[in-house]
């Protein structure tokens, strides 16, 4: 059975100077802009200890 996509999409409005900085950072890290934004958000959540615990799914 195909696994359901667990990603959610949404619109993000961001000022152009911030977006330019994110795009440059992403290029420096060899990531896409979307990948860089996901990494930034995940790191912020991890540092704030707000990421949910990973569950074992062995079914």
């Amino acid at each position: 059975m195909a696994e359901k996509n667990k990603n959610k999409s949404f619109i993000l409005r961001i000022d152009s100077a911030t977006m330019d900085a994110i795009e440059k950072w992403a290029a420096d890290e060899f990531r896409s802009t979307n990948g860089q934004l996901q990494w930034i958000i995940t790191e912020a959540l991890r540092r704030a200890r707000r990421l949910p615990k990973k569950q074992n799914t062995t079914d």
Side-chain angles (χ1 to χ4, degrees):
M1 183 188 286
E3 188 173 317
K4 187 177 179 181
N5 186 354
K6 295 181 181 182
N7 293 329
K8 292 185 179 185
S9 298
F10 69 98
I11 304 271
L12 174 65
R13 289 182 180 85
I14 192 164
D15 67 89
S16 61
T18 301
M19 190 64 179
D20 290 345
I22 292 169
E23 288 172 337
K24 182 177 181 334
W25 190 8
D28 291 346
E29 298 284 327
F30 303 104
R31 290 188 179 108
S32 67
T33 302
N34 186 68
Q36 189 69 19
L37 286 166
Q38 288 179 315
W39 180 82
I40 291 167
I41 293 166
T42 300
E43 279 298 297
L45 289 168
R46 184 186 62 78
R47 289 179 184 167
R49 298 177 186 236
R50 295 206 170 250
L51 274 178
K53 302 273 188 217
K54 291 185 179 181
Q55 296 179 5
N56 283 339
T57 53
T58 57
D59 295 287

